[in-house]
Amino acid sequence: MKSSSWHTRSARSSQAGEALRSGRPMLIVPYGWDQPDNAVRVQRLGAGLHLARTEYSVETATTALKALLDTSRFSLRATAVGEQMATEDGLALACDAIDSVREYSDSLPQQRSSQRSSTPRIASDAP
């Protein structure tokens, strides 16, 4: 990825992360699930642009790719994000986040076992 000037992706989390780490701006065409959110976040970071599938055409893609190549702020921002990510220990950050959720969960009052329902409640059962 380092040898390319830009990336075109659908923005699955792993693809977006890999492209961000490479320090190259990207054009994202999200298809579903978390991809539209990832695309907006990358664009908000200034590290790329996104096009909705319904807006994608040769003309719109060409215009977006020209903007990525001709506007230095995309390259500068993508490089800065990539350099920042290179200094982070992603595994340690993820473990710390999981530990903080566990610690918070452990701090909540515990229900007595007699108060717990043996069957899970679904939204329609809620009072």
Side-chain angles (χ1 to χ4, degrees), residues 22-88:
S22 77
R24 301 293 188 258
M26 64 185 113
L27 174 59
I28 299 172
V29 183
Y31 279 78
W33 302 99
D34 61 341
Q35 294 174 14
D37 181 61
N38 294 338
V40 169
R41 290 172 186 269
V42 167
Q43 186 163 318
R44 194 178 303 145
L45 278 171
L49 295 171
H50 77 279
L51 288 172
R53 282 189 321 171
T54 56
E55 297 173 4
Y56 186 87
S57 67
V58 170
E59 293 81 20
T60 59
T62 300
T63 299
L65 289 172
K66 281 183 180 182
L68 290 174
L69 291 170
D70 296 342
T71 310
S72 62
R73 69 180 168 90
F74 292 113
S75 287
L76 293 171
R77 190 65 187 128
T79 298
V81 170
E83 288 172 353
Q84 178 182 343
M85 290 178 76
T87 66
E88 296 174 346

Side-chain angles (χ1 to χ4, degrees), residues 5-7 9 19 29 34 40 43 46 50 56 60 66 79 91 93 112-114 120-121:
S5 297
W6 47 267
H7 299 286
R9 297 288 188 174
V29 183
D34 61 341
V40 169
Q43 186 163 318
H50 77 279
Y56 186 87
T60 59
K66 281 183 180 182
T79 298
L91 179 59
L93 290 171
R112 294 189 336 221
S113 61
S114 62
R121 290 177 56 151

